[in-house]
Amino acid sequence: MSYRICCIGAGYVGGSSMIVMADSCPGLQINVVDHDKQRIDSWNNLMAKDLPIYEPGLDEIHKRVLGKSLFFSTDVELYIKNADMVLITVNTPTKVNGHGAGEAADLTNIELAARTIAEFARGTTIVVERSTIPVRTADVLKGIFRKNSSENIHILSNPEFMAEGSAVQDLIAPDRVLIGGDDQRAIDELAGIYQHWVPSERILRTNLWSAELAKLTANAFLAQRISSVNTIAALCESSGAHIDEVTQAIGADHRIGHNFLRAGPGFGGSCFRKDLLNLVYLCHYFGLPDVANYWRSVLTINDWSRARISELIIKKLFSTLCGKKIVILGFTFKPHTNDIRESPAINICQDFLDEGAMLSIHDPMATIESIHQALSWQSPSSVTFNQDLISSFREADAAVLLTEWPIYLKLDWKLLSSYMRSPAWFFDTRNVLNRAELENYGLNLWSIGFGGIH
Ligand code: NAD
């Protein structure tokens, strides 16, 4: 009989990582389970052009493996019962109530999953933490398994490092796979699965706590670089320097490198904010308030980055947006994903709506329903969703590029500027457009990190 894996959670991580694993390991039987029936139904629909998540290249692999080595189901208990290994990829948002609210991770889903495993797992089972969780969570799991189950359960920590938008590539060729645990045989068993497609030297073995802590801190370091470069972009604008030139020089230093040095309106996505908050909470918990304040400042700068963009746009539009039409280009927190969680676009659009602006929002992948949910506006006419990009520029006072989707790099600026109300403004918060071309067409252009003083 083939080796059976049950993955609890059919979200971004569970869905995409199991699709790639199934493709590389046709000998496995992988069942991805979730309580969310709608999600499971869409993963099961081969004809559906829209999977629950959008990742370039994922649909093709999904078609290849669905019903062969990969299955999706809502029957959580059944597939736990049959599994040799159970992976936990449930969501771990920030706590909103009670002790640690606003910082600590809410582990309700982890605990629920663990209790279900304790009740239904049969025989020797390896349980793998794949969600991002605070260090020492495995202690909680061990407590639940000791009390509720007499079965032989081994716990491993194997955090997922993929990034949305490049998930398929990240999963097929990961920089590293990290496996923490205290049972050598269990570690070898999981490593053996990854070895089907990941070179052995990229599979790192650590103790449980190092693996749990490494994921949170990796995200904190990435978020810190974005916050840092955004402060330098503001300094460039005030001093006449150009962020491109400055980051090129910084990135050329091999100790620093080029990645995560692009200035923008601040980081978003489901992970960085909640993981940084969780790190802050853990630092307090372990009696390190100064360290907590240090990491909190990375978040403070991110909030500042978003607010700075809104404020400067309002100021350039004569400090009033009342009745003005603004075209919003991009709503997802980065291109090549349909995820808008924690996107800077949410705060920036909300600021514009508070000022009385009329927004025409375009995004190639974000759904209208998700944007509706994220924004709260009183008047229904103040937000429109226009899939016809060209016509959305008619009578617009400004356009704001918030996500660098490739489609926006190919727009006919000459035509668009002729549709807009003069003096038309264009705000490039990602610094991706051709400045010379836009200025040629008489558009007022502001690009992040470009100093005006020469
Ligand atoms: P998600 O919200 O997309 O998916 C989580 C899924 O788990 C949901 O479909 C939910 O219905 C399901 N679920 C929750 N509790 C359950 C239970 N008890 N039984 C069955 N199903 C249950 O979340 P995600 O983006 O995939 O993230 C999952 C974890 O991985 C988080 O800890 C996150 O921090 C981490 N992570 C996310 C990313 C990313 O880019 N999204 C990358 C690396 C790590």
Side-chain angles (χ1 to χ4, degrees):
M1 197 190 304
S2 50
Y3 194 84
R4 290 157 307 178
I5 289 185
C6 171
C7 172
I8 309 179
Y12 282 81
V13 170
S16 54
S17 67
M18 290 303 101
I19 286 171
V20 170
M21 184 181 279
D23 199 38
S24 304
C25 310
L28 295 178
Q29 197 200 94
I30 302 176
N31 292 290
V32 185
V33 295
D34 202 299
H35 289 148
D36 185 336
K37 186 173 180 316
Q38 203 183 343
R39 235 177 194 183
I40 291 294
D41 287 347
S42 355
W43 281 121
N44 269 331
N45 191 348
L46 254 187
M47 301 309 286
K49 66 176 177 12
D50 299 317
L51 293 179
I53 65 169
Y54 169 69
E55 281 294 333
L58 191 68
D59 50 347
E60 283 167 39
I61 313 179
H62 169 261
K63 266 198 199 109
R64 217 160 40 225
V65 293
L66 186 70
K68 297 190 180 95
S69 48
L70 183 69
F71 306 85
F72 290 90
S73 168
T74 51
D75 198 340
V76 181
E77 291 81 9
L78 174 71
Y79 290 104
I80 289 177
K81 211 181 274 177
N82 291 337
D84 301 296
M85 184 181 280
V86 181
L87 314 184
I88 306 178
T89 68
V90 300
N91 42 328
T92 49
T94 305
K95 256 183 111 170
V96 284
N97 294 312
H99 182 74
E103 280 181 359
D106 181 345
L107 296 182
T108 311
N109 294 332
I110 293 278
E111 191 180 326
L112 266 174
R115 287 187 189 283
T116 320
I117 296 168
E119 192 177 343
F120 292 96
R122 297 285 169 267
T124 303
T125 309
I126 297 172
V127 174
V128 188
E129 302 168 337
R130 304 225 62 227
S131 300
T132 305
I133 29 103
V135 59
R136 300 214 69 98
T137 300
D139 265 345
V140 178
L141 300 193
K142 280 180 186 170
I144 293 172
F145 296 147
R146 245 194 317 270
K147 273 206 170 137
N148 296 16
S149 165
S150 57
E151 302 296 335
N152 204 3
I153 293 182
H154 301 292
I155 301 172
L156 298 177
S157 166
N158 169 225
E160 181 51 68
F161 290 95
M162 60 149 247
E164 284 174 32
S166 55
V168 170
Q169 204 40 44
D170 296 345
L171 289 162
I172 290 176
D175 288 345
R176 72 333 212 157
V177 165
L178 181 58
I179 305 177
D182 39 31
D183 184 90
Q184 205 48 51
R185 284 210 359 228
I187 295 177
D188 288 344
E189 218 159 288
L190 182 56
I193 294 173
Y194 280 112
Q195 273 161 355
H196 281 96
W197 79 100
V198 179
S200 300
E201 64 277 12
R202 294 213 177 169
I203 303 177
L204 312 181
R205 296 151 192 252
T206 66
N207 80 16
L208 266 173
W209 320 126
S210 305
E212 288 183 342
L213 190 58
K215 169 64 198 193
L216 266 190
T217 44
N219 271 0
F221 271 67
L222 294 173
Q224 182 198 40
R225 281 173 73 104
I226 298 177
S227 277
S228 299
V229 81
N230 284 340
T231 63
I232 304 306
L235 190 55
C236 288
E237 289 160 28
S238 315
S239 62
H242 288 177
I243 191 69
D244 281 352
E245 295 169 357
V246 174
T247 52
Q248 190 186 7
I250 300 172
D253 186 328
H254 70 274
R255 294 165 302 176
I256 300 174
H258 288 282
N259 292 330
F260 274 68
L261 277 186
R262 282 210 73 93
F267 55 76
S270 63
C271 295
F272 283 0
R273 185 175 174 80
K274 85 170 169 64
D275 293 351
L276 267 167
L277 284 168
N278 195 207
L279 188 61
V280 169
Y281 177 79
L282 286 170
C283 294
H284 280 303
Y285 179 85
F286 287 107
L288 300 165
D290 295 324
V291 184
N293 290 342
Y294 171 76
W295 287 109
R296 159 96 32 206
S297 69
V298 174
L299 270 174
T300 308
I301 289 296
N302 198 51
D303 295 343
W304 165 86
S305 294
R306 300 192 293 217
R308 180 178 93 89
I309 301 281
S310 305
E311 279 164 26
L312 76 86
I313 291 176
I314 294 166
K315 212 160 153 193
K316 293 241 185 266
L317 296 177
F318 311 119
S319 296
T320 172
L321 298 191
C322 203
K324 288 184 179 158
K325 179 176 174 186
I326 301 182
V327 178
I328 302 292
L329 299 177
F331 204 89
T332 51
F333 76 97
K334 63 168 165 176
H336 312 300
T337 175
N338 57 348
D339 197 351
I340 65 158
R341 290 179 287 183
E342 298 291 340
S343 175
I346 300 172
N347 297 67
I348 293 171
C349 287
Q350 196 61 59
D351 289 342
F352 294 162
L353 288 170
D354 291 345
E355 291 285 328
M358 322 255 281
L359 303 184
S360 176
I361 301 179
H362 177 273
D363 189 282
M365 280 297 158
T367 63
I368 295 174
E369 299 76 47
S370 67
I371 298 175
H372 250 290
Q373 251 174 26
L375 293 176
S376 49
W377 66 89
Q378 320 304 326
S379 149
S381 61
S382 52
V383 180
T384 52
F385 301 94
N386 209 334
Q387 286 315 308
D388 176 8
L389 247 184
I390 310 296
S391 69
S392 69
F393 276 76
R394 280 190 199 286
E395 293 301 308
D397 296 277
V400 184
L401 186 147
L402 289 176
T403 317
E404 66 276 36
W405 283 101
I407 178 183
Y408 303 141
L409 311 187
K410 297 187 209 126
L411 292 174
D412 180 347
W413 295 110
K414 192 173 182 188
L415 179 72
L416 296 179
S417 54
S418 71
Y419 284 176
M420 294 172 79
R421 230 162 49 123
S422 189
W425 267 96
F426 198 87
F427 299 93
D428 178 6
T429 73
R430 301 282 180 171
N431 185 22
V432 286
L433 298 176
N434 184 331
R435 293 176 55 78
E437 186 195 344
L438 265 80
E439 280 166 350
N440 232 353
Y441 300 137
L443 273 167
N444 293 304
L445 173 67
W446 174 89
S447 304
I448 192 162
F450 269 71
I453 309 165
H454 296 282

